[in-house]
Amino acid sequence: MGMTIAQKIIKNHLVEGEMVVGTDIGLRIDQTLTQDATGTMAYLEFEAMGVPRVKTERSVAYIDHNTLQTGFENADDHRFIQSIAKKHGIWYSRPGNGICHQVHLERFGIPGKTLIGSDSHTPTGGGIGMLAMGAGGLDVAVAMGGGTYYITMPSMVRVNLTGRLPAWVSAKDIILEVLRRMSVKGGVGKIVEYGGEGVKTLTVPERATITNMGAELGATTSIFPSDEITRSFLKAQGREQDYTELSADPDAVYDEVIEINLSELEPLAAAPHSPDNVKTIEELEGKKIDQVLIGSCTNSSYLDLMRVAAILKGKTVHPDVSLGIAPGSKQVYNMLAANGALADIIASGARILECACGPCIGMGQSPNSGGISLRTFNRNFEGRSGTKDGQVYLVSPETAAVSAIAGVFTDARKLGDAVNIELPEHFMINDNMVTPPAPVEEADSVEILRGPNIKPFPVTQPLEENITAKTLLKVGDNITTDHIMPAGAKILPYRSNIPYLSKFCFAVCDEQFPERCKAEGKGIVVGGSNYGQGSSREHAALVPLYLGIKAVIVKSFARIHKANLINAGILPLEFVNETDYDSIDLMDELELADIRSIIDNGGTVKVTNKTKGTSFEVSCELSRRQRDIILAGGLLNYTRENV
Ligand code: MIC
Ligand code: SF4
């Protein structure tokens, strides 16, 4: 039987298990990446494992999230990561070099290789045919140490692209259309593979926009074939030697097929507060806007910004609109400066930001109260912009730029004929902001520089025999890790300080939650479906762990968050009958008797609601290895015991 692209890469990297959908498989990881907001924790964990040198083919540490530096914390963390990278064989991309996913695609990604990154948008690498997945910091640390990365073997979705995008309709509109059809939970347990004649009409940066935002489907990853277009991209990056061809076999079998005719697509937007709340620009046309932001790992490539520059050329940003632009990488920034496009952008009145995540993660540029903000980013979760009632719409760079000039939602197709922007034959290559690691013989003398912000991670205990604890929080469907552990300028600098972070846990849903946890000492969280979607931040598990959360009972989990809970030693439980969710109220006392032996031996768990005098069943779907991790009290304990 023929194979899909993803199945071929999985087969080449399979070290444990069989490729049977829904079962656990272990993969060999070729490359890893970290960013600074999850990186400090990942490197502390790597250190705790005691491996002197990374065992991957390439590991890169990027600084792109915490670049606001309003106090010593960020700069200290950067120095820590820089020193630890130098010592342990990791390449270091300095602040100013760009957003991890954009830079990795340009300079390091290789078709057919596996990549895991401590950031949920790592699937960007699927744009050049990598099997690239987001993971928790601890999983990345283990992979750096040469350990296996475990996932559940996903089912395969094929998105069949036909036709060609009309003028001013963009790759962003393709992924918004996929999100409209599949929803933010439609991709859970799946790999989304793109194919069909339409693929040949899309450049690598366009493909990467699509695989990047595939994270919002909840998918394990998304992937494109590696073809002549991939080859010319790599060649233009001076890396033609990294090219290999990769395509699905003609008789490959997919579990699901989605047909999209590119010629029929129109400009779209994801309306507040979810990436799958998709509307057409036509529906929104004429609505007044306050802010436009162009950038983020989804839409900040050379191609994106050249199109934006062409639209802004000779125009002025509307007097009621603030336009901010953050190029994705130094390469992009430099090329725009060299060819004059940056001058057109500046002349229009745009506010140029550094090439980093910036406003995408609430690091500055929060909109005005109730302000309508058009962003080319990938997430519009409530409060993520830093303004609780900010109304964030996710749009293409083209829609963003024309709307910034008009001051209202505007359909870019009004501009008439498309501007033809070609990818350059040679990108400007200058890796002077990537520092290589110290040679092995000098590694011992490299001193690790630690600032006072870096606190040890919470201690975990082996699973107890019985758990009795109160329901300290009850939340609904689609809870994001931004709800569990918010980011933004005020909190992000403390990613290495779990005790401090704990004050903000679930602040968006219930400000009293941390206090309640402190008062009770231990507790259980109850939630709806797709719990933990969004970011890969393991802080969304480590902070609840610190606050004494023993178990999370929900209708269903998002992939990375479930893995992070297991790694932290918190029980991830799912209702057998979803209606039992309704029977639990805040502060109800729940009892999980004999839980240790049930987890060890498998089977459903009976939960007794001691307050209500009722009981219900929950399942705990874990592989043997995951059971052992939970029994040991988390992956670090497990690794210490087993390695
Ligand atoms: C995000 O887009 O939410 C982030 C910030 O990049 C996160 C990582 C983090 O929380 O540090 C992600 O997507 O994984
Ligand atoms: Fe950075 Fe935003 Fe991309 Fe996350 S989604 S990596 S915050 S640019």
Side-chain angles (χ1 to χ4, degrees), residues 35 37-38 65 101 118-121 357 360-361 378-379 384 481-482 487 492 495 534-537 539:
Q35 39 92 334
T38 52
H65 280 64
H101 310 302
S118 61
D119 192 283
S120 64
H121 290 103
C357 300
C360 178
I361 192 56
N378 46 39
R379 289 187 175 144
R384 182 172 160 106
T481 46
D482 277 272
L492 258 190
R495 278 293 181 84
S535 158
S536 67
R537 60 190 73 149
H539 304 76

Side-chain angles (χ1 to χ4, degrees), residues 256-527:
E256 220 174 298
V257 179
I258 293 178
E259 297 285 345
I260 296 184
N261 182 347
L262 299 178
S263 317
E264 288 170 2
L265 288 186
E266 57 182 306
L268 300 171
H273 295 286
S274 182
D276 62 357
N277 187 14
V278 177
K279 299 202 172 359
T280 63
I281 296 297
E282 209 173 358
E283 284 173 77
L284 297 162
E285 179 109 39
K287 192 178 167 78
K288 218 173 151 343
I289 63 173
D290 301 290
Q291 184 189 50
V292 174
L293 290 169
I294 299 174
S296 92
C297 55
T298 317
N299 277 120
S300 58
S301 67
Y302 172 82
L303 199 67
D304 286 329
L305 295 195
M306 285 303 289
R307 286 184 182 144
V308 166
I311 296 172
L312 295 178
K313 190 176 173 134
K315 307 273 179 12
T316 301
V317 175
H318 189 276
D320 296 338
V321 175
S322 167
L323 168 64
I325 299 185
S329 68
K330 176 167 118 347
Q331 182 183 74
V332 172
Y333 210 167
N334 229 334
M335 289 177 70
L336 297 178
N339 71 14
L342 186 60
D344 296 331
I345 294 176
I346 295 171
S348 74
R351 302 165 63 181
I352 314 293
L353 311 173
E354 69 172 320
C355 33
C357 300
C360 178
I361 192 56
M363 281 292 192
Q365 301 284 327
S366 300
N368 54 297
S369 302
I372 297 196
S373 178
L374 268 62
R375 302 177 165 209
T376 67
F377 307 168
N378 46 39
R379 289 187 175 144
N380 58 347
F381 303 147
E382 191 178 1
R384 182 172 160 106
S385 67
T387 302
K388 191 149 196 279
D389 60 358
Q391 305 290 310
V392 176
Y393 290 77
L394 306 173
V395 298
S396 70
E398 293 84 344
T399 302
V402 287
S403 304
I405 298 165
V408 292
F409 275 92
T410 305
D411 189 331
R413 289 175 299 179
K414 285 206 176 116
L415 294 170
D417 290 342
V419 282
N420 201 16
I421 311 277
E422 299 275 332
L423 277 186
E425 249 176 67
H426 301 285
F427 286 96
M428 195 182 273
I429 295 162
N430 178 359
D431 292 327
N432 62 341
M433 293 294 279
V434 180
T435 315
V440 184
E441 57 284 5
E442 287 165 28
D444 278 351
S445 61
V446 177
E447 189 199 341
I448 307 285
L449 307 170
R450 275 171 234 274
N453 189 39
I454 299 180
K455 300 274 184 285
F457 41 80
V459 185
T460 57
Q461 305 294 345
L463 183 66
E464 299 156 70
E465 212 50 69
N466 301 295
I467 295 176
T468 306
K470 288 188 183 148
T471 309
L472 297 185
L473 188 75
K474 186 176 175 185
V475 287
D477 290 344
N478 292 324
I479 286 295
T480 71
T481 46
D482 277 272
H483 290 106
I484 307 172
M485 197 52 252
K490 296 194 190 83
I491 311 178
L492 258 190
Y494 299 95
R495 278 293 181 84
S496 336
N497 187 340
I498 300 286
Y500 184 84
L501 279 183
S502 70
K503 297 181 195 156
F504 305 95
C505 189
F506 276 112
V508 194
C509 307
D510 182 345
E511 283 182 359
Q512 307 305 318
F513 174 71
E515 281 309 313
R516 262 203 306 280
C517 292
K518 284 225 178 91
E520 292 295 330
K522 62 178 173 177
I524 292 174
V525 170
V526 173

